[in-house]
Amino acid sequence: QVQLVESGGGLVQAGGSLRLSCAASGRTFSSYAMGWFRQAPGKEREFVAAITTGGGNTYYADSVKGRFTISRDNAKNTVYLQMNSLKPEDTAVYYCAARFMFVGTALEEYAYWGQGTQVTVSS
């Protein structure tokens, strides 16, 4: 069982930056691949970024590639999402998710989810 708590969301102007954090409970955080997803009002939840258990490989949606960076600190049981050059279309609730062992980009591959943190980008 993994419990996830996101933080770091807020209101930012277009072009600005935010760093989201996701703190995980449990002693086996390093056994879980981690992902970030987002859901904008009226839209389906979508993949944003993912990282393998050791952090050696990362994956991004085309819409955020080059602007967002996912990273993790297994000693702190935390995964991060650094978001730069934010755009109004990045406005959404951002969720972190955990999947045992294997990284993925599909929602249904992740068994554990946080409660989400709101990111609002003003134009």
Side-chain angles (χ1 to χ4, degrees):
Q1 189 85 10
V2 178
Q3 293 183 325
L4 305 170
V5 179
E6 301 97 335
S7 61
L11 173 63
V12 64
Q13 289 187 332
S17 298
L18 281 175
R19 188 175 83 153
L20 305 183
S21 299
C22 174
S25 65
R27 297 173 293 176
T28 59
F29 176 71
S30 59
S31 296
Y32 288 82
M34 300 298 296
W36 284 97
F37 295 80
R38 66 187 182 186
Q39 188 166 17
K43 295 187 177 181
E44 294 184 351
R45 196 171 298 188
E46 64 177 6
F47 169 75
V48 175
I51 189 166
T52 50
T53 55
N57 290 291
T58 56
Y59 304 85
Y60 298 94
D62 287 343
S63 59
V64 306
K65 203 170 293 183
R67 301 188 297 122
F68 290 12
T69 302
I70 188 171
S71 62
R72 66 188 296 161
D73 185 337
N74 285 345
K76 295 183 178 181
N77 282 14
T78 302
V79 62
Y80 305 97
L81 186 68
Q82 177 67 44
M83 304 186 295
N84 298 328
S85 302
L86 282 161
K87 304 175 181 180
E89 50 264 42
D90 295 318
T91 295
V93 177
Y94 283 71
Y95 300 88
C96 72
R99 182 191 188 199
F100 184 66
M101 291 302 292
F102 303 109
V103 73
T105 61
L107 277 71
E108 58 268 21
E109 294 177 309
Y110 287 81
Y112 303 101
W113 292 82
Q115 83 291 347
T117 185
Q118 177 71 46
V119 171
T120 303
V121 184
S122 63
S123 56

